[in-house]
Amino acid sequence: MEKFNIAARIGLFWGLGYIAITMVLYLVDHALMHNSWVNAILFFLGIGIMYYSGISTRKDFGGIIPWKDAMTAMWVSSLIYILMFNFFSYALYQWIDPELKEELMALQVKALDQMRDFMGEEQYEKALEAMESTDSFDLSGILKSIPFIALIYFIIACLLALAIKKAEPWNPDSKTYGDQF
């Protein structure tokens, strides 16, 4: 794991940066924390940070990195980020501002109301009942979300690693190319 120190450091800064951005959004306007455009920007910024993690690790490896190591470096940084932002979210919604859950619920109900015509009354009632009966920001909800989010970032890391991997040059003595994967 020592060879991924740079990736771990990037993941730590990524998590701390996300926490700082979330706190600024919280202080400015709570609704911005759940704005789809803001979340999309933060998601794509995170993909850029993953890419940077892979490139930095490749430079640390001397410019040559197999696919597996590139993917692992990016996934390590994203796992650290995932753990940090999930446990920060837990602290925010459980201890710092528990009323924020009600604000989020009101925003979700408002969005669900806008889709009521498309869903039909029966589906709307089921969705509303499911929203009201679950607390996605309690510890079990946070713990359940971590594997799903980690899987999404794993897939992204696998795809980005294809662009970052760089094999050793061809060795005519061995008649093989360098480590491709």
Short mmCIF file of all heavy atoms in Angstrom, two decimals, residues 134-163:
data_model
loop_
_atom_site.label_atom_id
_atom_site.label_comp_id
_atom_site.label_asym_id
_atom_site.label_seq_id
_atom_site.Cartn_x
_atom_site.Cartn_y
_atom_site.Cartn_z
N THR A 134 -37.88 6.11 5.57
CA THR A 134 -36.45 5.86 5.63
C THR A 134 -35.68 7.12 6.01
O THR A 134 -36.07 8.23 5.65
CB THR A 134 -35.91 5.36 4.27
OG1 THR A 134 -36.18 6.34 3.27
CG2 THR A 134 -36.52 4.05 3.88
N ASP A 135 -34.61 6.92 6.74
CA ASP A 135 -33.71 8.00 7.08
C ASP A 135 -32.36 7.65 6.48
O ASP A 135 -31.60 6.86 7.04
CB ASP A 135 -33.60 8.15 8.61
CG ASP A 135 -32.69 9.30 9.02
OD1 ASP A 135 -32.23 10.05 8.13
OD2 ASP A 135 -32.44 9.43 10.23
N SER A 136 -32.08 8.21 5.32
CA SER A 136 -30.85 7.85 4.62
C SER A 136 -29.61 8.46 5.26
O SER A 136 -28.49 8.16 4.85
CB SER A 136 -30.94 8.25 3.16
OG SER A 136 -31.19 9.63 3.04
N PHE A 137 -29.79 9.30 6.28
CA PHE A 137 -28.65 9.91 6.94
C PHE A 137 -28.41 9.38 8.35
O PHE A 137 -27.62 9.95 9.09
CB PHE A 137 -28.79 11.44 6.96
CG PHE A 137 -28.71 12.03 5.59
CD1 PHE A 137 -29.85 12.47 4.96
CD2 PHE A 137 -27.51 12.12 4.92
CE1 PHE A 137 -29.79 13.01 3.68
CE2 PHE A 137 -27.44 12.64 3.65
CZ PHE A 137 -28.58 13.09 3.03
N ASP A 138 -29.08 8.28 8.72
CA ASP A 138 -28.70 7.64 9.97
C ASP A 138 -27.51 6.73 9.67
O ASP A 138 -27.11 6.56 8.51
CB ASP A 138 -29.87 6.89 10.60
CG ASP A 138 -30.34 5.70 9.80
OD1 ASP A 138 -29.90 5.54 8.65
OD2 ASP A 138 -31.17 4.91 10.31
N LEU A 139 -26.92 6.15 10.68
CA LEU A 139 -25.70 5.38 10.49
C LEU A 139 -25.90 4.19 9.55
O LEU A 139 -25.06 3.94 8.68
CB LEU A 139 -25.15 4.91 11.83
CG LEU A 139 -23.75 4.29 11.80
CD1 LEU A 139 -22.74 5.27 11.20
CD2 LEU A 139 -23.32 3.87 13.18
N SER A 140 -27.02 3.50 9.66
CA SER A 140 -27.25 2.36 8.77
C SER A 140 -27.46 2.81 7.33
O SER A 140 -27.00 2.15 6.40
CB SER A 140 -28.45 1.53 9.25
OG SER A 140 -29.65 2.26 9.12
N GLY A 141 -28.12 3.94 7.14
CA GLY A 141 -28.29 4.47 5.78
C GLY A 141 -26.97 4.87 5.15
O GLY A 141 -26.73 4.60 3.97
N ILE A 142 -26.12 5.50 5.95
CA ILE A 142 -24.79 5.89 5.47
C ILE A 142 -23.97 4.65 5.13
O ILE A 142 -23.34 4.57 4.08
CB ILE A 142 -24.05 6.75 6.52
CG1 ILE A 142 -24.76 8.09 6.74
CG2 ILE A 142 -22.60 6.94 6.17
CD1 ILE A 142 -24.61 9.09 5.64
N LEU A 143 -23.98 3.66 6.02
CA LEU A 143 -23.20 2.44 5.79
C LEU A 143 -23.71 1.66 4.57
O LEU A 143 -22.92 1.03 3.87
CB LEU A 143 -23.20 1.57 7.03
CG LEU A 143 -22.43 2.13 8.23
CD1 LEU A 143 -22.59 1.24 9.45
CD2 LEU A 143 -20.97 2.34 7.88
N LYS A 144 -25.02 1.71 4.33
CA LYS A 144 -25.57 1.02 3.16
C LYS A 144 -25.18 1.72 1.86
O LYS A 144 -25.07 1.08 0.83
CB LYS A 144 -27.10 0.96 3.25
CG LYS A 144 -27.61 -0.01 4.27
CD LYS A 144 -29.13 0.05 4.34
CE LYS A 144 -29.66 -0.75 5.50
NZ LYS A 144 -31.12 -0.58 5.66
N SER A 145 -24.99 3.03 1.90
CA SER A 145 -24.67 3.77 0.68
C SER A 145 -23.21 3.63 0.27
O SER A 145 -22.89 3.77 -0.91
CB SER A 145 -25.02 5.25 0.85
OG SER A 145 -24.11 5.89 1.73
N ILE A 146 -22.33 3.35 1.21
CA ILE A 146 -20.90 3.31 0.91
C ILE A 146 -20.55 2.26 -0.16
O ILE A 146 -19.85 2.60 -1.12
CB ILE A 146 -20.07 3.12 2.19
CG1 ILE A 146 -20.13 4.40 3.03
CG2 ILE A 146 -18.62 2.76 1.88
CD1 ILE A 146 -19.48 4.29 4.39
N PRO A 147 -21.02 1.01 -0.08
CA PRO A 147 -20.66 0.05 -1.15
C PRO A 147 -21.18 0.46 -2.53
O PRO A 147 -20.48 0.28 -3.53
CB PRO A 147 -21.32 -1.26 -0.69
CG PRO A 147 -21.53 -1.11 0.75
CD PRO A 147 -21.75 0.35 1.00
N PHE A 148 -22.37 1.02 -2.60
CA PHE A 148 -22.92 1.45 -3.88
C PHE A 148 -22.08 2.57 -4.49
O PHE A 148 -21.71 2.54 -5.67
CB PHE A 148 -24.38 1.89 -3.71
CG PHE A 148 -25.00 2.41 -4.96
CD1 PHE A 148 -25.34 1.56 -6.00
CD2 PHE A 148 -25.23 3.77 -5.12
CE1 PHE A 148 -25.90 2.03 -7.17
CE2 PHE A 148 -25.79 4.27 -6.28
CZ PHE A 148 -26.13 3.39 -7.32
N ILE A 149 -21.74 3.56 -3.68
CA ILE A 149 -20.93 4.68 -4.16
C ILE A 149 -19.53 4.19 -4.53
O ILE A 149 -18.96 4.60 -5.55
CB ILE A 149 -20.86 5.80 -3.10
CG1 ILE A 149 -22.26 6.37 -2.84
CG2 ILE A 149 -19.92 6.91 -3.53
CD1 ILE A 149 -22.35 7.26 -1.63
N ALA A 150 -18.97 3.28 -3.72
CA ALA A 150 -17.65 2.73 -4.02
C ALA A 150 -17.66 1.97 -5.34
O ALA A 150 -16.68 2.04 -6.11
CB ALA A 150 -17.19 1.83 -2.88
N LEU A 151 -18.74 1.27 -5.64
CA LEU A 151 -18.85 0.56 -6.91
C LEU A 151 -18.87 1.53 -8.09
O LEU A 151 -18.21 1.30 -9.10
CB LEU A 151 -20.11 -0.32 -6.93
CG LEU A 151 -20.37 -1.08 -8.23
CD1 LEU A 151 -19.27 -2.08 -8.50
CD2 LEU A 151 -21.73 -1.76 -8.17
N ILE A 152 -19.60 2.61 -7.96
CA ILE A 152 -19.65 3.61 -9.03
C ILE A 152 -18.25 4.18 -9.28
O ILE A 152 -17.80 4.28 -10.42
CB ILE A 152 -20.66 4.73 -8.69
CG1 ILE A 152 -22.07 4.17 -8.75
CG2 ILE A 152 -20.50 5.92 -9.62
CD1 ILE A 152 -23.13 5.10 -8.22
N TYR A 153 -17.55 4.54 -8.21
CA TYR A 153 -16.21 5.08 -8.37
C TYR A 153 -15.22 4.03 -8.85
O TYR A 153 -14.25 4.35 -9.54
CB TYR A 153 -15.74 5.75 -7.08
CG TYR A 153 -16.29 7.14 -6.93
CD1 TYR A 153 -17.44 7.39 -6.21
CD2 TYR A 153 -15.67 8.23 -7.55
CE1 TYR A 153 -17.95 8.67 -6.09
CE2 TYR A 153 -16.17 9.50 -7.44
CZ TYR A 153 -17.32 9.72 -6.71
OH TYR A 153 -17.82 10.99 -6.61
N PHE A 154 -15.45 2.76 -8.53
CA PHE A 154 -14.61 1.69 -9.04
C PHE A 154 -14.74 1.59 -10.56
O PHE A 154 -13.74 1.48 -11.27
CB PHE A 154 -14.98 0.35 -8.39
CG PHE A 154 -14.25 -0.82 -8.96
CD1 PHE A 154 -12.92 -1.05 -8.62
CD2 PHE A 154 -14.87 -1.69 -9.84
CE1 PHE A 154 -12.22 -2.13 -9.15
CE2 PHE A 154 -14.18 -2.77 -10.37
CZ PHE A 154 -12.86 -2.99 -10.02
N ILE A 155 -15.96 1.66 -11.05
CA ILE A 155 -16.19 1.59 -12.50
C ILE A 155 -15.53 2.79 -13.19
O ILE A 155 -14.87 2.65 -14.23
CB ILE A 155 -17.70 1.52 -12.80
CG1 ILE A 155 -18.26 0.19 -12.31
CG2 ILE A 155 -17.98 1.73 -14.29
CD1 ILE A 155 -19.77 0.11 -12.28
N ILE A 156 -15.68 3.97 -12.60
CA ILE A 156 -15.05 5.16 -13.17
C ILE A 156 -13.52 5.01 -13.16
O ILE A 156 -12.85 5.34 -14.14
CB ILE A 156 -15.50 6.42 -12.42
CG1 ILE A 156 -16.99 6.67 -12.65
CG2 ILE A 156 -14.67 7.63 -12.84
CD1 ILE A 156 -17.59 7.71 -11.75
N ALA A 157 -12.97 4.49 -12.06
CA ALA A 157 -11.52 4.29 -11.97
C ALA A 157 -11.04 3.30 -13.02
O ALA A 157 -9.98 3.50 -13.63
CB ALA A 157 -11.13 3.82 -10.57
N CYS A 158 -11.82 2.25 -13.25
CA CYS A 158 -11.45 1.27 -14.28
C CYS A 158 -11.39 1.92 -15.66
O CYS A 158 -10.47 1.65 -16.44
CB CYS A 158 -12.45 0.11 -14.30
SG CYS A 158 -12.31 -1.00 -12.89
N LEU A 159 -12.36 2.75 -15.97
CA LEU A 159 -12.38 3.40 -17.27
C LEU A 159 -11.26 4.44 -17.41
O LEU A 159 -10.60 4.53 -18.45
CB LEU A 159 -13.74 4.04 -17.50
CG LEU A 159 -14.92 3.07 -17.61
CD1 LEU A 159 -16.23 3.82 -17.67
CD2 LEU A 159 -14.76 2.16 -18.81
N LEU A 160 -11.04 5.24 -16.37
CA LEU A 160 -9.98 6.24 -16.41
C LEU A 160 -8.60 5.59 -16.49
O LEU A 160 -7.69 6.14 -17.11
CB LEU A 160 -10.05 7.16 -15.20
CG LEU A 160 -11.19 8.18 -15.16
CD1 LEU A 160 -11.17 8.94 -13.85
CD2 LEU A 160 -11.11 9.13 -16.34
N ALA A 161 -8.44 4.43 -15.88
CA ALA A 161 -7.16 3.74 -15.90
C ALA A 161 -6.77 3.34 -17.32
O ALA A 161 -5.57 3.26 -17.63
CB ALA A 161 -7.20 2.51 -14.99
N LEU A 162 -7.74 3.12 -18.17
CA LEU A 162 -7.44 2.81 -19.57
C LEU A 162 -6.72 3.97 -20.25
O LEU A 162 -5.86 3.76 -21.12
CB LEU A 162 -8.72 2.46 -20.33
CG LEU A 162 -9.40 1.16 -19.92
CD1 LEU A 162 -10.75 1.03 -20.62
CD2 LEU A 162 -8.51 -0.04 -20.23
N ALA A 163 -7.07 5.20 -19.86
CA ALA A 163 -6.44 6.37 -20.45
C ALA A 163 -5.09 6.69 -19.79
O ALA A 163 -4.23 7.29 -20.41
CB ALA A 163 -7.36 7.58 -20.31
#
